Amino acid sequence: HAGYDYLRERLSNLPGYTDAEGTLGETADPRHQVFARAVVEASKHWEFDADWRWIDHFVIADSPTSGPLAAVVPSYDELGARIAWTRGPLELSVVGQNLLHARHQEYGYPSPTNEFIQRTAYARAVVRY
């Protein structure tokens, strides 16, 4: 599976209403996004899937001026993967998320307290009945 999203926003205030930010707070979204996902059933008991995504940069502005009050969230790409072994109702898997970088920003102004999405990995056991 693969896809591409294009988002173009044109917002305005209704007549008689005002917005101190000039609708800029509502348009902090990436314009382009690309993704791909593959699932491989290697055998009766083994499955592998991977997903990749690229997210375009975008600007967060908290005023009608785009000067020092604006922040740019940089573009990034990431990869996720899962390998699973299944036997009857039991599935054992290992999953990795955000594998290309130790961490990345998805939203927010640059700040020491800004949260970043971090690389993660975990094992999982599922019993279906």
Side-chain angles (χ1 to χ4, degrees):
H1 300 279
Y4 168 75
D5 294 323
Y6 175 79
L7 176 64
R8 183 163 183 174
E9 298 167 301
R10 294 182 189 186
L11 303 177
S12 60
N13 294 321
L14 292 171
Y17 291 88
T18 59
D19 182 348
E21 295 180 353
T23 69
L24 290 176
E26 290 83 9
T27 59
D29 300 303
R31 181 165 287 182
H32 305 278
Q33 297 183 55
V34 180
F35 63 91
R37 179 161 194 232
V39 177
V40 177
E41 292 181 11
S43 72
K44 183 179 177 182
H45 301 290
W46 287 97
E47 184 176 273
F48 174 77
D49 35 290
D51 61 89
W52 170 84
R53 68 189 185 283
W54 176 79
I55 309 298
D56 196 8
H57 77 281
F58 61 94
V59 176
I60 302 171
D62 65 355
S63 78
T65 63
S66 59
L69 296 177
V72 175
V73 175
S75 63
Y76 66 91
D77 64 329
E78 278 300 350
L79 177 72
R82 177 180 78 84
I83 188 164
W85 176 82
T86 305
R87 183 67 145 211
L90 176 65
E91 177 186 297
L92 302 175
S93 60
V94 176
V95 179
Q97 298 173 316
N98 302 308
L99 298 173
L100 298 181
H101 307 96
R103 64 188 195 137
H104 69 268
Q105 181 181 358
E106 287 191 3
Y107 200 81
Y109 288 92
S111 158
T113 60
N114 197 0
E115 292 201 26
F116 288 79
I117 306 301
Q118 304 212 6
R119 177 184 300 141
T120 58
Y122 59 90
R124 185 172 86 157
V126 177
V127 177
R128 292 182 175 86
Y129 57 93

